[in-house]
Amino acid sequence: MQTSVAMTDIGRRRKVNQDYVYASDQPVGNLPNLYLVADGMGGHKAGELASSYGVQKVVEAVCRCTDTRPALILQKAVRYANFQLYQKAKESEDYYGMGTTLVALSILGQEALAVNIGDSRLYEITQEGIRQISEDHSLVAELVRKGELSPKEARLHPDKNIITRALGIQGEAELDLFSFQVKAGSRYLLCSDGLSNMVEDPTLCRLIQKDRTLYEIGGRLILEANQNGGTDNIAVVLVEIV
């Protein structure tokens, strides 16, 4: 089984919180559990709407899906949410160009499934260290994968916030699906770039490995991001396999 905590913070520089989180340790439709982080983008209110609306539509689709295959449930739900958000953006000029990143996780016994679009991340933290499971869909991440930038250079790059994929930007979603094994004692972090840009992976690992409650760890992660500048909204979902 697993336990979780979800929290978000506006940060120190923004006037609107465009991050949205969702966590259920109980079954959601035919999934045994579901965890989501979304980081909206768009105008003053559009980004806030995009993240909340996108997450709500994913949950709605999972609840309504009659399929019993977890991978198909997640993929169908994300594609449904993408289309609904794409249509929503047409309702008002204020919504033009709105979209959101999305990272989703479901624990299926000894296996887990994850989906991501954009640069919100999924990490696995064990006693051995930290591992980023998701792949960023961003301009600098593509340059790193091509060997044209080092990870250190990418963190300081002026275009590090330019993403190459997002939910709701086009009629069909281009998503990544990951399947991996889980073990008792492992912890999983879903987060927006308001955390990952402010706190480096070794520090994330050190804080999450500590013998504290998930709620205490989540609060400490947000505090660390704000102490390092808090230039963006911060979203944290922590899941522990117990």
Side-chain angles (χ1 to χ4, degrees), residues 3-242:
T3 185
S4 68
V5 66
M7 53 184 69
T8 182
D9 187 83
I10 196 169
R12 298 178 62 185
R13 304 281 183 88
R14 298 296 177 92
K15 295 180 178 180
V16 176
N17 192 346
Q18 297 185 333
D19 286 1
Y20 199 84
V21 295
Y22 175 90
S24 175
D25 297 325
Q26 303 304 314
V28 180
N30 287 329
L31 291 180
N33 46 70
L34 183 61
Y35 310 97
L36 302 164
V37 163
D39 179 359
M41 60 187 194
H44 183 64
K45 286 291 184 182
E48 183 181 17
L49 173 65
S51 59
S52 61
Y53 190 81
V55 167
Q56 288 162 14
K57 290 301 175 182
V58 170
V59 175
E60 175 186 310
V62 171
C63 289
R64 291 168 52 183
C65 187
T66 58
D67 207 302
T68 57
R69 292 165 289 182
L72 281 180
I73 295 171
L74 267 182
Q75 290 178 83
K76 286 180 178 180
V78 172
R79 290 190 170 115
Y80 170 81
N82 179 82
F83 182 76
Q84 292 298 317
L85 185 57
Y86 180 69
Q87 295 299 317
K88 187 74 172 175
K90 297 178 181 179
E91 292 181 3
S92 167
E93 287 186 6
D94 293 338
Y95 300 163
Y96 178 77
M98 75 175 181
T100 183
T101 68
L102 181 77
V103 58
L105 173 69
S106 187
I107 308 294
L108 317 165
Q110 295 182 330
E111 187 183 34
L113 282 174
V115 165
N116 87 290
I117 298 176
D119 62 354
S120 290
R121 292 181 176 179
L122 171 64
Y123 289 97
E124 178 183 63
I125 298 91
T126 65
Q127 290 305 311
E128 285 71 44
I130 187 169
R131 174 172 72 104
Q132 183 180 335
I133 294 173
S134 60
E135 288 189 357
D136 294 353
H137 303 138
S138 68
L139 179 64
V140 296
E142 290 184 2
L143 294 175
V144 170
R145 286 192 283 270
K146 291 177 181 177
E148 296 177 20
L149 278 181
S150 70
K152 185 175 181 180
E153 289 171 332
R155 288 190 66 85
L156 303 173
H157 199 281
D159 295 331
K160 67 181 179 180
N161 292 324
I162 298 177
I163 59 175
T164 54
R165 295 190 211 172
L167 196 75
I169 295 298
Q170 52 190 13
E172 294 187 9
E174 186 179 359
L175 56 87
D176 286 350
L177 177 71
F178 302 91
S179 174
F180 53 96
Q181 298 297 306
V182 300
K183 295 180 181 179
S186 299
R187 288 173 171 169
Y188 294 89
L189 168 68
L190 295 82
C191 67
S192 62
D193 65 346
L195 179 67
S196 58
N197 282 343
M198 292 289 103
V199 185
E200 294 189 10
D201 288 6
T203 303
L204 290 176
C205 185
R206 175 176 55 81
L207 293 173
I208 296 171
Q209 282 179 336
K210 287 188 177 297
D211 187 17
R212 294 173 175 164
T213 67
L214 294 184
Y215 185 82
E216 290 170 332
I217 293 169
R220 190 67 185 84
L221 292 173
I222 289 174
L223 178 63
E224 188 80 14
N226 279 325
Q227 287 179 337
N228 290 345
T231 59
D232 202 351
N233 309 141
I234 306 154
V236 172
V237 173
L238 286 162
V239 183
E240 181 174 18
I241 310 300
V242 295

